[in-house]
Amino acid sequence: MNVDIRNSIDAWALLYSSIAKTLDQKFGAEGRSVLRRSIRGYAAERGNRRKAELCGNGLSLDLRNLISAGCDFPSDHRTEVEWIKIAPQELFANVAHCPLATLWANEGASDLGCIYCEEFYHAYFKSTLSNRVQVNLTQMMTHERDELCRISLYLRPANLDEAQRKICFEMGETSGEAIEHKPTKHLIRSQWALFYTHCYVNIQNQFGDKGLLAFKEALTGFSDRLAAYILRLRREDACSELVTAIDAEDFLAGIIPLYSCTSDTEVWGDSSTSNSRAFYLSFFERPLLEQL
C-alpha cells in the first residue's frame, strides 16, 4: 500500500476510493451516477440522524448549533480549518488541509473525491437543517487548481415558512456542552456502515449480480491492501511497541470500524439488511482477518 493509514478516518477514505474506482472503471458514467446517488443517500441519512440528535437535545437547527453542539464525524488533528464566521444564519470557513483530499490525491482519485465533495455537502446540510439552506462550495482541494476548500452557508429566516423558522431559530442555543462528544470509534463506525450500505443497495438495484460481483472485487481488493499494510508494519516495527498495538484487538477495531459489529442495526441504519451485512463480512472483514 503506497499510502499510510494513520487511523480509521484514512481507512474510511480508502474504502470510498476503492468503491468509487471500481464503479468508474467497471461501469463508466453509469457507475459514477450510482456513486453520486450513494453519496447523496448516505449524506441524507447521516443528516437525518444529526437532526434527530439536535432536536432531541432541544436545540435549534441553525448553523451555529450544527457546528458547535457535538459532531457526527470524528475530528482529525491533521485537518486545518479557518473558521471565519459561525453564526445561526451564516457560516464561512476555509479548509487549508484535509486528510481525505490528501489521501485521495495520493491514490490518484482526486476526481472521484471531487464527486464526493460535490454531492455530500449539499445533501447533508439540506437534510440536517432545511432544504432552503444555501450551500456554496466555491473552491475544493479535490480540484487541481484549488489550494483550499471554501465553504459558505446561509440559512435565512425569510426563506423559511413559519414551521421551519420555529425549528431552526426558536428552540435552544448550545452552550458548547449540550451534546456529549462521542468517541472516534463510534462516530467512524456509523459513517463506515452507512456509506457501505448505500453503495450496496444502489449497486445491487442498478446492476444486479454483475454489480455485486464488481462490489465484491472492490471489497476483497481493499481487504488485501489493508492486510498487506498491517503486515508490513509488523515487519518494519518488529522491535517496537507498535507490534503490541497491531496484535491487539483494540487496534483492529480502530482500523476496521465494524470489527465484530455486523448485528448492530443502530450503527448500520435503516437501509441495511442481513444480506448486505453478510456480504460485508464475507468479502471484506473475514478475508482481512484471515490474512492477519
Side-chain angles (χ1 to χ4, degrees), residues 45 49 185-194 196-197 257-274 276-278 280-281 285:
E45 187 168 354
R49 289 185 175 193
K185 178 180 172 181
H186 174 86
L187 294 173
I188 198 68
R189 171 181 286 176
S190 295
Q191 308 320 329
W192 182 289
L194 286 182
Y196 161 84
T197 296
L258 298 180
Y259 182 56
S260 302
C261 186
T262 52
S263 62
D264 191 335
T265 54
E266 181 180 355
V267 165
W268 282 87
D270 298 334
S271 301
S272 74
T273 64
S274 58
S276 65
R277 295 193 293 270
Y280 166 84
L281 187 64
E285 188 170 301

Side-chain angles (χ1 to χ4, degrees), residues 2-20:
N2 296 325
V3 296
D4 288 335
I5 300 177
R6 304 289 183 89
N7 52 37
S8 56
I9 296 173
D10 290 345
W12 183 92
L14 283 172
L15 173 72
Y16 172 84
S17 64
S18 297
I19 296 172

Side-chain angles (χ1 to χ4, degrees), residues 8-158:
S8 56
I9 296 173
D10 290 345
W12 183 92
L14 283 172
L15 173 72
Y16 172 84
S17 64
S18 297
I19 296 172
K21 282 182 175 180
T22 297
L23 286 171
D24 181 45
Q25 293 165 3
K26 297 287 187 180
F27 304 108
E30 192 176 6
R32 294 190 296 276
S33 178
V34 169
L35 177 64
R36 288 182 182 276
R37 196 182 314 147
S38 301
I39 296 167
R40 290 195 297 269
Y42 155 69
E45 187 168 354
R46 181 172 152 185
N48 285 331
R49 289 185 175 193
R50 183 71 168 125
K51 175 187 286 186
E53 182 180 44
L54 292 170
C55 290
N57 283 272
L59 297 175
S60 296
L61 297 178
D62 64 43
L63 290 165
R64 181 166 59 196
N65 283 342
L66 177 63
I67 298 302
S68 302
C71 66
D72 65 351
F73 197 87
S75 59
D76 189 298
H77 69 278
R78 296 167 295 173
T79 303
E80 298 176 12
V81 182
E82 176 191 8
W83 296 105
I84 300 170
K85 184 176 184 179
I86 303 177
Q89 296 185 34
E90 297 175 331
L91 188 150
F92 308 140
N94 291 334
V95 181
H97 181 76
C98 170
L100 301 182
T102 299
L103 189 144
W104 290 332
N106 292 338
E107 281 279 285
S110 289
D111 55 339
L112 298 171
C114 185
I115 289 177
Y116 178 84
C117 299
E118 288 173 349
E119 298 293 346
F120 174 79
Y121 292 101
H122 288 271
Y124 176 73
F125 287 115
K126 288 180 182 294
S127 178
T128 307
L129 303 178
S130 166
N131 61 357
R132 297 297 183 87
V133 65
Q134 297 168 265
V135 182
N136 298 318
L137 294 173
T138 54
Q139 296 183 58
M140 294 185 292
M141 278 182 281
T142 46
H143 284 157
E144 289 186 5
R145 66 179 182 270
D146 295 335
E147 296 182 353
L148 55 80
C149 298
R150 178 160 292 166
I151 303 172
S152 303
L153 304 173
Y154 304 89
L155 184 63
R156 301 301 193 197

Side-chain angles (χ1 to χ4, degrees), residues 5-12 188 192 222 226 229-230 233 249-259 280 284 288:
I5 300 177
R6 304 289 183 89
N7 52 37
S8 56
I9 296 173
D10 290 345
W12 183 92
I188 198 68
W192 182 289
F222 178 40
L226 194 54
Y229 175 76
I230 294 173
L233 289 182
E249 186 168 300
D250 284 347
F251 177 85
L252 289 175
I255 293 296
I256 313 168
L258 298 180
Y259 182 56
Y280 166 84
F284 175 73
L288 172 62

Side-chain angles (χ1 to χ4, degrees), residues 191-212:
Q191 308 320 329
W192 182 289
L194 286 182
F195 178 69
Y196 161 84
T197 296
H198 282 276
C199 288
Y200 178 93
V201 170
N202 284 300
I203 289 170
Q204 183 182 45
N205 289 343
Q206 186 71 26
F207 302 117
D209 290 342
K210 184 179 179 180
L212 289 182

